[in-house]
Amino acid sequence: MTTQTSAPETPGKTPTTQAGLIAIPPHLGRALATGGAVLTIISTFLAWTWTSAFPGDLTVYGYPGGLQVLVLIGGALTTLFCLASYGIKGLGWLTPAGPDGAIKFAALATFATSWYTVIAISADLGGVVNLEPGAYVVAIGSLAAFLGALSLPFEHPAPDPIDPDDTSWEHTRHKAAHKWETTKAAFTSSTPRPVGQLPAYAEILIIVAVLALGLTVFTYGIGTEYDELFVGFLITAGFGFAALNKAGLVAQASQITARHQNITICGAFVAAAAFPFTQTDDQYATLGVYILIFATVALGLNIVVGLAGLLDLGYVAFLGVGAYAAAMVSGSPSSPFDVHFPFWAAALVGAAASLVFGVLIGAPTLRLRGDYLAIVTLGFGEIFRITANNLDGTSGPDITNGSNGISSIPNLDILGFDFGVVHNILGVDIGRFANYFFLMLIITAVVVLVFRRSGDSRIGRAWVAIREDETAALAMGINGFRVKLIAFAVGASLAGLAGTVQSHVTYTVTPEQYLFAGPIPPNSAFLLAAVVLGGMGTIGGPLIGASLLFLIPNKLQFLGDYQLFAFGVALILLMRFRPEGMIPNRRRQLEFHEEAEAPTVLTKAGA
């Protein structure tokens, strides 16, 4: 066996190795991390406390439960990365980018979850006297693994061989070659097949495994039954994802899914459709349908912000316009119109109403740019809410019933399928919210299709040109006003389409549901955060970002007044360490991490 102490060297640059944070020889630190991780795994099969008063029942020997399962996962991940660092045959695929960074984050996930559990047991039950030997073993083992990981060396790329202050022609030539090669690498689709690339069927199996893992993690996270377990899940999932990213597995999975986009998208919808079948009641299917509504609206906003680069701070108003329009024509007794349209007609009314409002607001304002446009859209969002609140028959015409809203919106009935009753599908009882979940999944598929087709079209390329440099785009003959107005109209109509389903899911539409900011999404601030955090200009980014931004605040309600504080800290950390978003597109990844790829490109240019 050979010892692997650093990541593979990148052609064209020599990495500079720095010592770890702790003055322990790397080989001893790696052994300490491995031993600590193994000891942590063993501890999960021991009792951590003597009483079942702490949730999860950590009193059983030989069977991990509750938070012990998360610690077991973290310890196993740390052990695998440590074994891969020794060059054991068959484990090299685990760390294509080098094992040391992955070991650090995996050990941190294990240490943080273990010590959080030990401290929570002591705090909830009244002191360390309530700890059993397993708790002491996991505390010592996870600490040893973390200290051993900190002793591993850090590697940094060598500095740019070209002096940045040099203004000579040679430096200018290298800079131009670098920018050309970077751009070509980002947009060339006919790159040669890399040596050692897996066959197509193997890559499809990897996609299936990734989607199955995603469904498992999401189902586990949304189904956490008590607060301590959800906090532990956040710690393990967050640092675990960082470990996989440092190991290079996330980048490899992204490359594979990019080569099979159609299969990935179809597989993702199949995995999402399987979610209601994993639930025994509507408790978590309720969160699922709200997440889909929020995610679909965020994807519509991604057209405006991610593709066209228009900062819209009042986008949630278009969701409200669609919801109100659909509620008024869906047979509600509090509606001013005594009509009951079928769903397809109500959906068209909601989407058309939002489109009209998008054009009416965009036509006089889209000649503005940047902060000025953001202020105008923020004003539109507030105007919509105040207007809906005043159309109560007293301050204005009786159209929206003011603050009472439009209530008693009936359940949908499409071709005899009543969404308000329980149906048995494949032997599984599917309740009301699960029925709406499947309907919203179809709406999401439509929005994804519109986003993808429009993004790849001529108008989509014009949106990107406007986003990158509007002045240059105008100079090349693009009608900036028309292009931006189309983006505004398309994004608004997609939000209105989602609003038609939301009005039936919630039974009642009120102005307070459509604020700029608030503790619970959807609102304009959370929608914008979902697009930015998930990944601007991508399909999966806003969907994942919206899922996280809806799920986490709902699960952190036990923090009370500190809920938004903790949530804000999490957002700051995510933006600090992954500014391009959870699933970035290639262009934004190059913008934020261009310096890491520059030496390689310069070598190619100078060859």
Side-chain angles (χ1 to χ4, degrees):
M1 293 187 298
T2 59
T3 302
Q4 185 180 356
T5 60
S6 61
E9 294 187 7
T10 304
K13 68 174 179 180
T14 303
T16 57
T17 304
Q18 296 184 358
L21 295 178
I22 298 179
I24 300 177
H27 65 282
L28 294 180
R30 188 168 285 105
L32 182 62
T34 306
V38 172
L39 188 62
T40 300
I41 294 175
I42 295 173
S43 71
T44 60
F45 295 89
L46 305 175
W48 289 8
T49 182
W50 63 273
T51 173
S52 59
F54 187 82
D57 193 7
L58 308 184
T59 64
V60 181
Y61 282 86
Y63 188 81
L67 286 160
Q68 288 176 327
V69 176
L70 299 176
V71 175
L72 175 61
I73 294 173
L77 198 62
T78 307
T79 303
L80 287 175
F81 286 144
C82 288
L83 294 178
S85 69
Y86 285 104
I88 296 178
K89 188 176 181 180
L91 293 179
W93 61 272
L94 280 173
T95 55
D100 291 348
I103 293 174
K104 290 184 179 70
F105 278 103
L108 177 58
T110 309
F111 169 76
T113 308
S114 302
W115 279 73
Y116 165 74
T117 306
V118 171
I119 294 173
I121 292 173
S122 303
D124 290 354
L125 301 182
V128 297
V129 69
N130 295 283
L131 298 177
E132 286 289 293
Y136 295 102
V137 173
V138 74
I140 296 173
S142 61
L143 178 61
F146 184 51
L147 293 177
L150 290 180
S151 69
L152 299 179
F154 292 88
E155 287 194 354
H156 301 279
D160 193 334
I162 301 178
D163 183 3
D165 296 326
D166 186 8
T167 57
S168 63
W169 162 249
E170 189 65 19
H171 172 63
T172 304
R173 184 181 70 83
H174 276 293
K175 257 183 100 173
H178 165 220
K179 292 183 74 66
W180 162 247
E181 291 292 338
T182 301
T183 305
K184 184 172 70 173
F187 297 105
T188 301
S189 58
S190 58
T191 53
R193 181 188 180 98
V195 178
Q197 180 176 308
L198 295 174
Y201 73 88
E203 293 188 339
I204 293 174
L205 290 177
I206 291 176
I207 293 173
V208 172
V210 170
L211 294 175
L213 177 63
L215 176 62
T216 303
V217 172
F218 177 78
T219 303
Y220 185 89
I222 202 174
T224 48
E225 298 177 350
Y226 49 94
D227 302 333
E228 292 85 354
L229 183 60
F230 182 73
V231 174
F233 167 76
L234 283 183
I235 296 173
T236 304
F239 289 121
F241 177 82
L244 296 177
N245 185 48
K246 280 291 184 180
L249 294 176
V250 174
Q252 279 200 345
S254 299
Q255 293 174 1
I256 292 174
T257 55
R259 287 195 290 268
H260 306 278
Q261 284 190 357
N262 292 331
I263 294 176
T264 302
I265 293 175
C266 293
F269 278 102
V270 171
F275 169 71
F277 295 97
T278 65
Q279 308 300 309
T280 57
D281 53 41
D282 263 3
Q283 179 182 2
Y284 300 119
T286 305
L287 286 178
V289 68
Y290 284 122
I291 287 174
L292 271 184
I293 293 173
F294 185 31
T296 303
V297 179
L299 192 58
L301 178 61
N302 198 24
I303 292 180
V304 180
V305 177
L307 293 182
L310 306 174
L311 186 55
D312 189 346
L313 297 181
Y315 188 76
V316 75
F318 297 122
L319 175 68
V321 169
Y324 266 100
M328 290 178 183
V329 297
S330 294
S332 170
S334 58
S335 170
F337 308 109
D338 188 18
V339 294
H340 191 171
F341 288 3
F343 173 70
W344 63 268
L348 290 178
V349 169
S354 295
L355 186 147
V356 170
F357 271 84
V359 172
L360 291 178
I361 298 302
T365 61
L366 284 178
R367 299 188 187 278
L368 301 174
R369 298 187 188 182
D371 300 339
Y372 304 100
L373 177 62
I375 293 173
V376 169
T377 56
L378 175 61
F380 164 66
E382 290 301 299
I383 289 173
F384 164 76
R385 182 180 60 83
I386 295 172
T387 301
N389 215 14
N390 288 333
L391 296 180
D392 56 357
T394 301
S395 302
D398 187 8
I399 298 178
T400 63
N401 291 327
S403 60
N404 294 323
I406 299 177
S407 59
S408 301
I409 301 172
N411 282 303
L412 290 175
D413 191 325
I414 302 178
L415 299 178
F417 186 90
D418 190 347
F419 283 73
V421 301
V422 177
H423 298 272
N424 188 277
I425 301 177
L426 300 177
V428 179
D429 289 336
I430 302 298
R432 176 179 182 271
F433 286 101
N435 295 332
Y436 282 106
F437 180 89
F438 287 122
L439 176 62
M440 200 60 228
L441 197 61
I442 297 174
I443 301 294
T444 305
V446 172
V447 175
V448 168
L449 179 63
V450 171
F451 180 90
R452 190 178 181 192
R453 288 300 184 183
S454 60
D456 293 337
S457 65
R458 180 179 180 181
I459 192 68
R461 292 192 295 271
W463 287 338
V464 173
I466 291 289
R467 182 192 69 190
E468 294 299 315
D469 192 330
E470 184 172 352
T471 303
L474 296 177
M476 295 301 294
I478 295 177
N479 188 332
F481 173 76
R482 183 177 66 88
V483 167
K484 290 191 291 185
L485 187 60
I486 292 175
F488 223 66
V490 172
S493 61
L494 295 180
L497 185 61
T500 61
V501 179
Q502 186 208 25
S503 63
H504 290 86
V505 171
T506 58
Y507 286 127
T508 302
V509 180
T510 60
E512 287 71 23
Q513 294 175 336
Y514 309 105
L515 302 171
F516 166 72
I520 299 296
N523 54 64
S524 293
F526 272 76
L527 287 170
L528 184 61
V531 173
V532 176
L533 294 177
M536 295 173 59
T538 64
I539 294 176
L543 299 179
I544 292 180
S547 301
L548 293 176
L549 291 182
F550 193 93
L551 178 62
I552 293 177
N554 274 277
K555 290 289 188 176
L556 292 181
Q557 291 183 11
F558 67 93
L559 293 177
D561 294 337
Y562 296 97
Q563 173 189 355
L564 288 180
F565 172 77
F567 187 59
V569 170
L571 295 184
I572 291 173
L573 292 177
L574 182 59
M575 282 288 90
R576 168 60 182 85
F577 294 104
R578 198 168 178 84
E580 69 274 23
M582 300 290 292
I583 304 181
N585 63 13
R586 181 63 173 166
R587 179 187 280 108
R588 285 185 61 80
Q589 200 166 21
L590 288 174
E591 289 175 358
F592 285 102
H593 302 284
E594 188 174 351
E595 70 283 352
E597 302 190 17
T600 303
V601 178
L602 286 173
T603 301
K604 293 179 182 178

